[in-house]
Amino acid sequence: MTPAQQAMERLRAWPDLTACKAGCGTGQALRFARHEVVHFHTGRDVDLHLTRHAIQRFRYDLSTSTAIQLVPGSNWVTVHLDCATDIDLLLTLVSVALKAHQATPLPSPVPTASGCNFHRVTVLPRDPVT
């Protein structure tokens, strides 16, 4: 089982998340209310819809993580899953995203979540831990 599949299985057990096809057209997603929150694009690469406010609030911490890729102007972060710690980081960030989406009023009309970072980020593998 790939790291992304492991994360998806763990997140599917969360009562506020529903599985669906990713709005960007690639992979599976998990939806909260009317927002797609997580896109699983490959066995290791996941896009997470945080919100602009949450990204700004945690920008320093996000930018120091080797598992996180930020794209300027995007409300999404890309998480590269190489190990169990990366999966735990993703689950923590999904919790932050859910809280951020609860605090943000829904715009009208509700935008699609196709603005994820897929095809806008190149994730290079990290050096193996010895």
Side-chain angles (χ1 to χ4, degrees):
M1 186 179 290
T2 69
Q5 290 169 327
Q6 293 173 34
M8 178 107 172
E9 286 304 310
R10 290 176 64 183
L11 289 168
R12 279 184 155 180
W14 291 22
D16 293 337
L17 295 174
T18 305
C20 62
K21 185 157 178 67
C24 65
T26 302
Q28 294 296 308
L30 292 172
R31 168 182 294 292
F32 168 73
R34 294 191 282 172
H35 293 283
E36 288 180 16
V37 177
V38 188
H39 286 185
F40 295 88
H41 295 299
T42 71
R44 294 195 181 275
D45 298 316
V46 177
D47 280 339
L48 174 65
H49 187 201
L50 277 176
T51 71
R52 187 172 312 278
H53 177 71
I55 291 172
Q56 289 302 317
R57 183 173 177 204
F58 298 107
R59 177 171 283 293
Y60 175 77
D61 297 311
L62 295 171
S63 66
T64 60
S65 172
T66 58
I68 303 289
Q69 178 72 39
L70 299 172
V71 174
S74 178
N75 293 335
W76 295 74
V77 298
T78 300
V79 183
H80 185 74
L81 306 174
D82 272 335
C83 60
T85 303
D86 295 340
I87 295 171
D88 291 340
L89 172 63
L90 174 65
L91 271 60
T92 300
L93 290 175
V94 169
S95 182
V96 169
L98 294 177
K99 186 169 179 130
H101 284 288
Q102 287 174 336
T104 305
L106 291 174
S108 182
V110 176
T112 63
S114 60
C116 71
N117 295 338
F118 192 61
H119 294 303
R120 298 191 316 171
V121 170
T122 300
V123 180
L124 301 174
R126 292 182 275 181
D127 292 333
V129 177
T130 56

